[in-house]
Amino acid sequence: MTRWNQSNDDVTAVSSDISDETNALPAKYFTSSEIHELEKEKIFGRYWVYAGHANAITEPGAYFTRTIGDRQVIIVRGHDDEIRAFFNVCAHRGSKMVEDTPMTDPENMGRIRCPYHMWSYDLDGDLESTPQSFEEAGLNPDLSDDEVCGMDASENSLSEVKTDRIGPFVFLNFAQDPMPLAEQAGTLKSELEAMPLGEYEHAARYVSEVECNWKTFAGNYSECDHCHANHQDWITDIELAESELEVNDYHWILHYTHDEDVEDEMRIHDEHEAKFYYFWPNFTVNMYGTADGYGTYIIDPIDEGRFQLIADYYFSDEEMTDAEQEFVQTSRQLQEEDFELVERQYEGLKSGALAQAQLGPNEHTVHRLHRLAQEAYEA
């Protein structure tokens, strides 16, 4: 049932247990700054989070940075061709080492060097060299040069962050002993790796800041009960009555059936449908069914009331055809329509009138999102 906040003195009790599929996550979990801080550790500090595409850094020394919550990481391809991730923090005195570098505009370096005191690290994170001032005590009258111990490279390496991959998609995990990525991904891993995702080139990126909680948009992405009223151009060629929303442990798939078969060369996957994969906590892979390519979303929280949507598009060539450009603009139209919806919803949530919403029978995907959030809070 829907639960209202009738007044400050008469607050209808919410259900602390949302195992019933009609129970949504209580509204406070979307609007509280304390919950936002909790999620940095409980969700984004413990689950595998998307970092970026391996095709962006194909040469040794190529790197980009990725910021997740308060943590910034350098993702770099080593001389051995392995991709590794390190905190963008020098082992000396904690300085940030490299500037913000998006995946779409990577840089290259022979070594990782901190500009503060010029400590240098190999691409595998090991301390390579320090300036002469760390080997001599010329400015310290109480210490002679032969008393300087020098820096033990093995004890002053960069702090490495765990990485793993699903095809060309690189993921990070900050936990000490996380579940394997293959376990979190389940059948999603084999499904995506069966497709030639790595053969496609990055063609476009759009970054949007939206005024709502990230879970509000994630819930909207995960259902299509709103589509008839709000995405009328898109659903023209979709048979929603024959579509399916499939739920798995940490991912769900939205299967949207086309009303007519699509030619084989017009899609990357085999099925005659659009397939939208949501991978907990905040990554999506979008197989549109009418284009030889795919898209990804990163739904990055900024604070409790704002998130950033990073939308990337991949086609056979980085130079898009007119048809591909038109396709991306159609996708952008869907995003803009959804932004208006979720910002409207968040205005209502912020009002404090609603204590806890209820979910419909076709919003089982949204319920799974809310359940995973609740399980993370209680872990």
Side-chain angles (χ1 to χ4, degrees):
M1 62 175 287
T2 303
R3 295 174 172 88
W4 298 99
N5 286 332
Q6 302 294 345
S7 70
N8 291 335
D9 299 323
D10 181 21
V11 179
T12 304
V14 300
S15 171
S16 58
D17 178 11
I18 64 166
S19 56
D20 187 327
E21 288 199 357
T22 62
N23 282 352
L25 197 64
K28 66 180 181 180
Y29 290 102
F30 297 84
T31 60
S32 165
S33 59
E34 289 79 9
I35 294 299
H36 170 69
E37 293 300 319
L38 181 70
E39 288 177 344
K40 290 180 183 179
E41 184 58 37
K42 293 280 193 172
I43 294 179
F44 296 98
R46 295 186 182 181
Y47 290 94
W48 290 94
V49 180
Y50 179 62
H53 204 287
N55 285 4
I57 47 174
T58 57
E59 300 296 326
Y63 74 93
F64 59 87
T65 61
R66 173 86 165 92
T67 301
I68 299 169
D70 299 324
R71 304 173 171 105
Q72 188 174 78
V73 174
I74 305 168
I75 297 94
V76 60
R77 189 177 289 273
H79 294 298
D80 58 0
D81 205 40
E82 292 294 318
I83 293 178
R84 297 180 178 85
F86 305 98
F87 282 104
N88 190 12
V89 178
C90 182
H92 172 215
R93 281 167 55 188
S95 176
K96 177 178 176 178
M97 295 181 295
V98 304
E99 296 301 318
D100 297 357
T101 307
M103 183 195 79
T104 49
D105 191 20
E107 298 286 348
N108 196 289
M109 56 188 173
R111 65 190 67 180
I112 304 171
R113 174 172 289 169
C114 179
Y116 194 4
H117 295 91
M118 304 305 290
W119 281 34
S120 295
Y121 304 86
D122 291 331
L123 298 181
D124 60 7
D126 290 339
L127 181 64
E128 183 180 70
S129 65
T130 57
Q132 189 173 358
S133 59
F134 286 85
E135 300 172 4
E136 300 176 351
L139 300 180
N140 187 345
D142 298 323
L143 192 67
S144 62
D145 288 349
D146 58 7
E147 294 178 297
V148 176
C149 298
M151 295 298 168
D152 186 335
S154 65
E155 295 183 357
N156 291 278
S157 58
L158 295 178
S159 180
E160 189 167 359
V161 178
K162 294 177 179 64
T163 61
D164 203 346
R165 286 169 60 171
I166 297 176
F169 301 135
V170 181
F171 290 85
L172 306 173
N173 197 304
F174 298 102
Q176 290 297 313
D177 186 25
M179 76 170 80
L181 175 59
E183 180 180 342
Q184 183 179 321
T187 57
L188 176 73
K189 179 176 170 64
S190 58
E191 248 191 80
L192 293 181
E193 290 184 341
M195 292 182 273
L197 302 178
E199 297 178 10
Y200 288 73
E201 299 293 329
H202 186 267
R205 165 172 282 195
Y206 292 88
V207 180
S208 307
E209 184 173 312
V210 187
E211 299 290 327
C212 77
N213 183 269
W214 69 277
K215 298 186 297 299
T216 312
F217 182 85
N220 179 84
Y221 176 95
S222 300
E223 54 89 1
C224 208
D225 280 1
H226 69 279
C227 292
H228 269 299
N230 298 282
H231 298 317
Q232 295 181 9
D233 291 341
W234 181 69
I235 65 168
T236 300
D237 298 321
I238 298 292
E239 292 289 348
L240 287 180
E242 298 178 10
S243 300
E244 178 190 359
L245 307 184
E246 171 192 344
V247 176
N248 297 277
D249 287 347
Y250 294 99
H251 76 276
W252 38 99
I253 308 171
L254 290 70
H255 302 258
Y256 294 131
T257 303
H258 290 280
D259 58 2
E260 294 182 2
D261 287 344
V262 181
E263 295 180 5
D264 286 350
E265 63 269 19
M266 286 298 293
R267 64 180 184 280
I268 191 173
H269 59 295
D270 292 335
E271 291 82 358
H272 291 234
E273 62 182 5
K275 296 178 75 172
F276 295 84
Y277 298 84
Y278 192 107
F279 185 38
W280 169 263
N282 66 330
F283 180 59
T284 81
V285 182
N286 312 317
M287 302 293 175
Y288 301 99
T290 55
D292 183 20
Y294 62 95
T296 64
Y297 289 169
I298 308 173
I299 308 168
D300 263 349
I302 299 173
D303 54 33
E304 69 276 8
R306 292 179 300 157
F307 79 92
Q308 187 178 69
L309 184 74
I310 304 173
D312 290 302
Y313 297 90
Y314 298 84
F315 297 103
S316 57
D317 193 289
E318 63 181 12
E319 294 295 329
M320 290 187 291
T321 65
D322 290 344
E324 288 167 347
Q325 290 178 355
E326 182 178 351
F327 175 82
V328 170
Q329 290 308 310
T330 299
S331 176
R332 286 291 294 164
Q333 177 184 335
L334 285 171
Q335 292 167 29
E336 295 290 345
E337 291 167 353
D338 281 333
F339 294 161
E340 180 179 353
L341 295 175
V342 295
E343 287 185 338
R344 182 187 296 269
Q345 181 189 1
Y346 199 65
E347 282 294 312
L349 290 173
K350 286 194 302 180
S351 72
L354 185 70
Q356 185 174 26
Q358 62 176 321
L359 300 174
N362 295 313
E363 295 176 323
H364 51 300
T365 44
V366 182
H367 186 258
R368 185 59 189 157
L369 173 79
H370 291 192
R371 285 280 289 172
L372 286 171
Q374 185 186 52
E375 290 169 9
Y377 303 148
E378 296 174 351

